[in-house]
Each structure stands twice: as C-alpha cells, then as structure tokens.
Amino acid sequence: MDLKGKKLILASASPRRRELLAGLDVEFEVDVRNDFEESFGEDVPHPEVPALLSRGKSHGFWRPLEKDEILITSDTMVLLDSLIMGKPRSREEAVEMLGRLSGRTHEVISAVTIRDRAHEKTVTDTTLVTFRELTPAEIDYYVDTYKPYDKAGAYGIQEWLGYAACTGIEGSFYNVMGFPVHRVYEELIIFAGYNC
C-alpha cells in the first residue's frame, strides 16, 4: 500500500496487532505512550464499548500529531450474552472465562480508530466464534501452557485452543485476533488520499 509519504503510527503494545498490520505491507512505527485510563460508564451499551475505548486511546496519545502522521488505536472485547470478558487478572479468572465459553457461541467485537490532524474514523467489526465443550483438563492445559492473561476472553484463536476447540467462525478470523485488518486497509486507502 502506498501511503503517499504519510507516517503511520500504531499505538498498541499487542504483538498480534503489529503482526497483522505488517501483513498489509505498510511501514509503521509503534508508540504506546498514552495517558488514557480505560474505563466506561455502566450506561454504555456493551457493543459500543470497544469503539469508546479505541477513541479514548486515540485522543489519549501523548502528543499532538504532525501534519503527515496517521495514528491507529484499537480495542477488542469478548461478549457472551451480556457479559463482557476482558483480560483475565488471574489463573482462576482465566479458567472461569473459558468454562463460560465452553460449548457456546460468543461475539468478538473489535474497534479501530484511525486519525490524522484533520480527520478521524472509528470502525467496528464483529465475529461470532463457537467452541465445542471443553473438559476441565483441556482448560487447565491451555491456561497453564499458554498463560493467556493478555488476551480478552482468556484465549488466542491462533493458539492451541483455537486449533483444538473452535468449531465455527462467522466473520473475520483476524478480527478475533484483535485487529480487523480488512477494515483498516479500506480506511487507510481513504486516509492516504487526504491532503493533511
């Protein structure tokens, strides 16, 4: 992709987002300095939370953008019924989350905010993921081996659990990894055409 001299900044510490953005064959730098505190009110509809947090991360970037810079921020949420599953804070919480996801279909909602000095766009993508019934031993094995404490919903679809237990995906696989790259690509084409 030709960004027409624009500099792309990914404001995310996620190695998966870095890998997926690199897959678009664009040059970018990573800068995670940010003063945004991730929180939201109880009245915010759950499907809107990732977009709210993604925009917050964008505007919490530590400095104003230069004329030729494009900033990308993102947030991903796992939603089962009305329960938001963030990153587990302990082994027990990870085991509990996977027990809830076992044998069920859940939503993975990712939002990406793309911003330059004059324009801003937030896009959201939703994927449905179904797991077969997991045994307690399988859950213990996955948590103890892969330690998924940096992942919403306590799992990475690209890891053992995805291979062994995912029986269906409706929507973008990469969105489940936390970054809907097809939507990012579409928006970057638009942003590259702006005269900042």
Side-chain angles (χ1 to χ4, degrees):
M1 178 189 296
D2 181 8
L3 291 177
K4 301 178 182 177
K6 309 266 177 82
K7 296 177 183 175
L8 194 58
I9 302 169
L10 176 63
S12 174
S14 166
R16 294 164 296 282
R17 290 190 181 124
R18 296 181 195 184
E19 174 189 349
L20 292 173
L21 184 58
L24 293 179
D25 291 342
V26 292
E27 292 187 7
F28 62 94
E29 64 179 78
V30 175
D31 191 335
V32 298
R33 289 174 283 183
N34 204 301
D35 57 17
F36 174 66
E37 292 188 17
E38 295 187 33
S39 63
F40 54 91
E42 293 182 6
D43 58 334
V44 178
H46 290 168
E48 296 176 18
V49 169
L52 178 73
L53 297 180
S54 179
R55 284 192 295 268
K57 293 174 184 179
S58 182
H59 289 280
F61 191 63
W62 68 283
R63 61 169 175 80
L65 295 177
E66 299 294 333
K67 182 178 180 181
D68 61 346
E69 291 178 330
I70 301 172
L71 180 70
I72 297 178
T73 54
S74 186
D75 191 80
T76 298
M77 176 184 75
V78 170
L79 187 62
L80 179 66
D81 300 326
S82 61
L83 178 65
I84 294 176
M85 294 187 173
K87 298 173 183 177
R89 291 165 291 194
S90 66
R91 182 187 185 282
E92 291 72 23
E93 192 169 8
V95 168
E96 179 188 357
M97 285 183 182
L98 293 176
R100 288 177 178 269
L101 296 176
S102 174
R104 301 285 308 281
T105 297
H106 61 275
E107 293 178 277
V108 179
I109 305 171
S110 293
V112 177
T113 300
I114 303 174
R115 180 170 66 88
D116 61 21
R117 290 210 313 196
H119 312 89
E120 178 179 334
K121 181 73 175 288
T122 298
V123 296
T124 301
D125 203 60
T126 300
T127 304
L128 298 178
V129 180
T130 302
F131 286 157
R132 64 167 173 77
E133 291 282 351
L134 299 165
T135 68
E138 288 171 331
I139 292 173
D140 288 342
Y141 170 79
Y142 176 70
V143 171
D144 292 339
T145 303
Y146 290 88
K147 304 187 184 333
Y149 305 117
D150 64 335
K151 298 175 179 67
Y155 77 91
I157 195 69
Q158 73 280 10
E159 295 177 340
W160 180 85
L161 194 74
Y163 289 108
C166 179
T167 60
I169 293 180
E170 184 179 333
S172 167
F173 174 83
Y174 298 112
N175 185 56
V176 185
M177 288 179 65
F179 202 58
V181 282
H182 64 292
R183 300 297 305 276
V184 174
Y185 181 81
E186 293 168 357
E187 295 302 326
L188 284 179
I189 290 173
I190 297 170
F191 270 75
Y194 289 139
N195 293 317
C196 297

